[in-house]
Amino acid sequence: MSEGRILYSWPEDKQKIVQFYKDKKTNLQIKKLQDLLIKPLNKNNYMYSSENILKGNFSFPSYGTINFTNGIDWENKSNRSRSFLRQLHGHFFLTDLIASFAKLGKKEYITYGFSIIKDWISKNPKPIPKHKMAWSDEVTARRLVIWIHFFDCARSLLSEKEISFFYENILLHVNLLRTESFHTTNTNHGMFQDESLLVFSEYFNNIKESNEIKKLAIKRLTNYFNYIISSEGVHLEHSPSYHQVISNAVLRYAKFFENSLDHHFFSQKYDSLADYATYIIKPDGRWPLIGDTFFKDIPSSHLWPHDKHYLYAISKGFKGLPPPYIDKVFPQSGYAVFRDEWKKGNGGTYLLFYAAYYTSYHKHCDDLSIWLYSDGDILVESGPNGYDYEDPFTKYAYSSFSHNTLIVDDTSLPRVDNKFNHVKIQQYKIGKDYSEVKGINRRYPGVVHERTIKYQKSQKFIKVHDKIISTKMHNYKVLWHFAPDIDVQHNSNEVICFRNSRKVMKLSIHSKSNIKTRLLRGSKDPVLGWFIGQDAKKTPINTLIIETNDINSEIISNLQLY
């Protein structure tokens, strides 16, 4: 790394470093880092956004334009959401100024942006920031990447004193991010921390310590991907959209290390991720909204461009070639996907079952839940509501009550309890006309839930057998959530489902236990029976509640498709 290169050491050579980077040509570094740098926050109108920022009006996607002419509310006196604070304290708005400066060369974009950085630094010292989000793990990492990019734009315009001040605060971030106690190991947040260290080590590669920092980042990233990507090529944070996030990240690293020994590792990992992404896609070309997969999240058309099976899945069969298997089970990772066939496109039938709990990130209480699609969604889940954990709808979306699963004693499972080995797929069979899968959940204290799903394709018939085992009397509820466009007729232990007045499914309930069934729709107290769509719009949906008081119980839900 050091061959033919002037190397400096911090903090001894700080002034030399400042002068060196004030004049250095960094075109090659910026080009190599292009895929790791953060794109404009308002990607389609960043110049308009930048002009508004100069007037004190900041544009935040999903949150509108906010006036900060009297100073930025770092403290969050307005009580805005955690997701908003992530963008604010991460300085994502600076990406608009960076892109606009590159386009127009307008000095005010840099001078005003730097005044914001100085204001943030003065009001958010590490021990006592205005708000705790200021130094949260992922926010700190993203801010460092944005600051380094901003530094590259600003270094020729700022005084040596200002550059030195900026550089010192960049180093403060780096030293924090390389500290093991601050590192969120084995999470995607930790991945972004290590990515920021890669950006630093590449841009400031005339600093002796950069090589050591790069090695640390590579070691951490290698350990993370070996941990979080199963041998089946499934990202284990239980959200298809985050599987895509990780796939994009691995691809970025494969490109970044293209001419180094580390390229093979990242390239191989990237290729392994395509299979799950292909099979988890619904016939309509969209993700099921499981875990923290939001309605706005859609499968990428840029990933795996040469994989004809992935292309077939995202195009609803208009491009590429059908994948080699109709049904696909990832037993180690906890997913089973059954279909009638691929060639029907968005008119096909798709049944997804999941028994997956491996990490505390992006996991919902959806153990043994299912998603059913047949010429459109039929059985769904609420989808996530964001990361404001005090919001009743966020609590609902994470809870067992928003999923097609079991509730014991009117209590949801906790979102996180670290009982990773208590949920799994026990067995499965795959046949041309018949497929079956069985999963088990032992997370409820003193209660075992076994769910077996049998799919008879030629008969369009699905049998869901819930077996609940305990030694004490409990209240058991099995929930079924119907898609927003599904109308229902409920009569005792039978529900007829319609879409646009056309019958699409009959659900029949059978049990030796004394069961009661009732429908609930769009309740706010308690929150139950909701679908969370685009821009977090809440739509009431019909939810069937099957209830019994018993010690052991078996409940069979027969789903006849039409």
Side-chain angles (χ1 to χ4, degrees):
M1 177 180 174
S2 60
E3 186 177 347
R5 184 176 300 168
I6 300 171
L7 293 179
Y8 299 99
S9 181
W10 83 60
E12 295 89 346
D13 300 325
K14 184 177 70 173
Q15 291 306 316
K16 291 180 180 179
I17 291 170
V18 167
Q19 186 58 53
F20 180 83
Y21 277 95
K22 186 173 177 65
D23 302 323
K24 183 184 179 183
K25 293 182 179 179
T26 58
N27 294 359
L28 291 178
Q29 280 97 330
I30 293 298
K31 183 178 180 180
K32 185 172 182 180
L33 289 170
Q34 202 59 50
D35 289 332
L36 303 187
L37 298 176
I38 298 173
K39 303 299 185 288
L41 184 63
N42 293 279
K43 59 182 179 180
N44 296 323
N45 56 352
Y46 57 84
M47 286 193 287
Y48 177 78
S49 167
S50 296
E51 287 300 311
N52 273 341
I53 288 174
L54 296 182
K55 299 172 185 175
N57 297 311
F58 290 62
S59 177
F60 295 90
S62 302
Y63 304 102
T65 300
I66 299 173
N67 184 277
F68 285 138
T69 51
N70 295 322
I72 296 179
D73 176 21
W74 304 117
E75 191 175 350
N76 196 28
K77 294 177 182 177
S78 301
N79 197 30
R80 299 185 187 277
S81 73
R82 184 177 181 273
S83 297
F84 169 80
L85 292 174
R86 171 186 175 271
Q87 290 188 16
L88 182 69
H89 282 281
H91 293 186
F92 283 81
F93 51 83
L94 290 180
T95 58
D96 289 349
L97 296 177
I98 292 168
S100 297
F101 177 75
K103 190 86 171 178
L104 301 177
K106 189 172 178 177
K107 183 178 179 180
E108 288 83 355
Y109 295 144
I110 299 303
T111 54
Y112 189 75
F114 190 61
S115 72
I116 295 171
I117 291 173
K118 289 190 293 184
D119 182 61
W120 183 89
I121 291 171
S122 69
K123 293 176 180 174
N124 292 280
K126 177 65 174 71
I128 45 170
K130 287 290 184 181
H131 195 279
K132 62 182 180 180
M133 280 296 289
W135 291 99
S136 61
D137 47 18
E138 188 248 3
V139 167
T140 302
R142 298 303 190 109
R143 186 172 57 245
L144 174 60
V145 173
I146 292 168
W147 276 15
I148 291 171
H149 200 182
F150 192 89
F151 179 94
D152 187 65
C153 298
R155 61 201 171 96
S156 62
L157 300 175
L158 302 179
S159 67
E160 287 192 17
K161 183 178 179 181
E162 288 173 320
I163 296 174
S164 180
F165 172 78
F166 197 5
Y167 174 70
E168 286 176 357
N169 280 278
I170 286 174
L171 292 189
L172 176 64
H173 281 59
V174 172
N175 284 328
L176 180 63
L177 288 162
R178 68 197 293 212
T179 303
E180 292 303 324
S181 60
F182 186 73
H183 188 247
T184 45
T185 305
N186 289 336
T187 71
N188 68 79
H189 286 199
M191 180 195 76
F192 287 120
Q193 289 176 294
D194 300 324
E195 183 173 310
S196 71
L197 294 179
L198 278 184
V199 173
F200 174 83
S201 65
E202 179 62 29
Y203 184 84
F204 289 100
N205 62 7
N206 287 88
I207 294 173
K208 291 178 182 177
E209 290 81 358
S210 64
N211 193 37
E212 175 190 338
I213 290 170
K214 185 176 183 179
K215 288 180 179 178
L216 174 65
I218 293 171
K219 178 183 177 182
R220 286 176 172 178
L221 287 170
T222 302
N223 290 340
Y224 170 59
F225 290 127
N226 282 332
Y227 167 81
I228 206 63
I229 298 173
S230 74
S231 61
E232 298 166 329
V234 179
H235 172 243
L236 297 176
E237 286 186 4
H238 193 57
S239 298
S241 63
Y242 276 91
H243 181 93
Q244 180 163 287
V245 167
I246 296 304
S247 300
N248 272 305
V250 176
L251 177 60
R252 291 198 302 270
Y253 307 142
K255 290 179 179 178
F256 180 80
F257 292 110
E258 194 162 14
N259 297 314
S260 76
L261 296 175
D262 298 295
H263 172 73
H264 178 72
F265 172 82
F266 291 104
S267 178
Q268 192 175 49
K269 287 292 183 186
Y270 170 68
D271 291 340
S272 75
L273 291 160
D275 203 35
Y276 169 81
T278 299
Y279 283 95
I280 201 73
I281 292 171
K282 297 188 296 169
D284 60 0
R286 296 183 62 93
W287 303 123
L289 304 188
I290 61 175
D292 278 345
T293 301
F294 292 81
F295 187 84
K296 64 179 176 60
D297 298 326
I298 57 175
S300 170
S301 59
H302 303 293
L303 289 169
W304 307 291
H306 305 298
D307 189 312
K308 295 181 179 180
H309 303 317
Y310 177 75
L311 182 61
Y312 190 92
I314 63 171
S315 70
K316 297 175 282 188
F318 288 102
K319 298 178 182 178
L321 295 173
Y325 306 108
I326 303 298
D327 297 338
K328 184 74 171 182
V329 178
F330 301 87
Q332 176 198 339
S333 310
Y335 297 89
V337 186
F338 298 154
R339 300 173 188 264
D340 56 351
E341 60 177 289
W342 281 99
K343 293 184 179 180
K344 287 185 179 180
N346 60 7
T349 295
Y350 161 104
L351 176 65
L352 170 64
F353 171 76
Y354 25 105
Y357 184 25
Y358 291 94
T359 77
S360 301
Y361 274 61
H362 306 296
K363 162 72 177 174
H364 289 206
C365 302
D366 55 5
D367 307 293
L368 310 192
S369 186
I370 73 171
W371 189 292
L372 177 62
Y373 176 108
S374 188
D375 195 23
D377 289 323
I378 297 179
L379 294 175
V380 300
E381 300 188 341
S382 70
N385 189 57
Y387 303 100
D388 181 0
Y389 299 121
E390 299 304 314
D391 187 316
F393 277 92
T394 303
K395 293 179 180 178
Y396 163 69
Y398 275 113
S399 76
S400 305
F401 289 95
S402 72
H403 303 94
N404 298 311
T405 188
L406 173 71
I407 310 291
V408 178
D409 296 332
D410 278 321
T411 302
S412 170
L413 285 167
R415 187 175 72 88
V416 176
D417 60 10
N418 297 323
K419 295 180 179 179
F420 300 131
N421 61 344
H422 286 54
V423 182
K424 63 181 179 180
I425 287 179
Q426 285 187 304
Q427 60 191 49
Y428 67 95
K429 298 177 184 177
I430 291 177
K432 185 176 181 180
D433 187 52
Y434 173 84
S435 292
E436 176 182 327
V437 62
K438 179 181 179 182
I440 188 168
N441 173 23
R442 298 178 181 271
R443 289 180 65 198
Y444 274 114
V447 176
V448 176
H449 178 205
E450 296 178 351
R451 172 168 279 184
T452 303
I453 299 174
K454 300 179 179 181
Y455 179 24
Q456 195 74 45
K457 299 183 182 184
S458 60
Q459 298 178 21
K460 297 184 177 182
F461 181 77
I462 299 165
K463 179 179 180 180
V464 182
H465 183 178
D466 288 304
K467 185 176 182 181
I468 309 163
I469 306 165
S470 183
T471 58
K472 297 180 180 179
M473 179 73 71
H474 294 278
N475 177 266
Y476 301 125
K477 291 183 176 69
V478 172
L479 306 184
W480 295 115
H481 299 83
F482 301 98
D485 65 344
I486 295 294
D487 297 316
V488 300
Q489 289 180 359
H490 175 223
N491 181 18
S492 185
N493 293 341
E494 185 175 277
V495 174
I496 309 295
C497 301
F498 299 86
R499 180 186 291 116
N500 298 325
S501 301
R502 181 175 67 87
K503 186 189 294 186
V504 294
M505 187 180 78
K506 180 174 74 172
L507 191 160
S508 304
I509 310 300
H510 305 275
S511 179
K512 292 181 179 179
S513 297
N514 182 21
I515 63 170
K516 296 180 180 179
T517 67
R518 58 191 171 99
L519 272 177
L520 188 147
R521 178 183 175 91
S523 169
K524 291 186 177 180
D525 187 17
V527 178
L528 187 63
W530 295 90
F531 181 82
I532 302 170
Q534 189 71 40
D535 298 325
K537 180 182 178 182
K538 281 73 173 178
T539 301
I541 58 174
N542 293 300
T543 297
L544 179 68
I545 302 171
I546 307 165
E547 182 175 6
T548 187
N549 293 298
D550 213 333
I551 298 174
N552 300 313
S553 183
E554 295 187 43
I555 300 172
I556 295 173
S557 302
N558 289 326
L559 314 178
Q560 179 64 62
L561 300 171
Y562 295 102

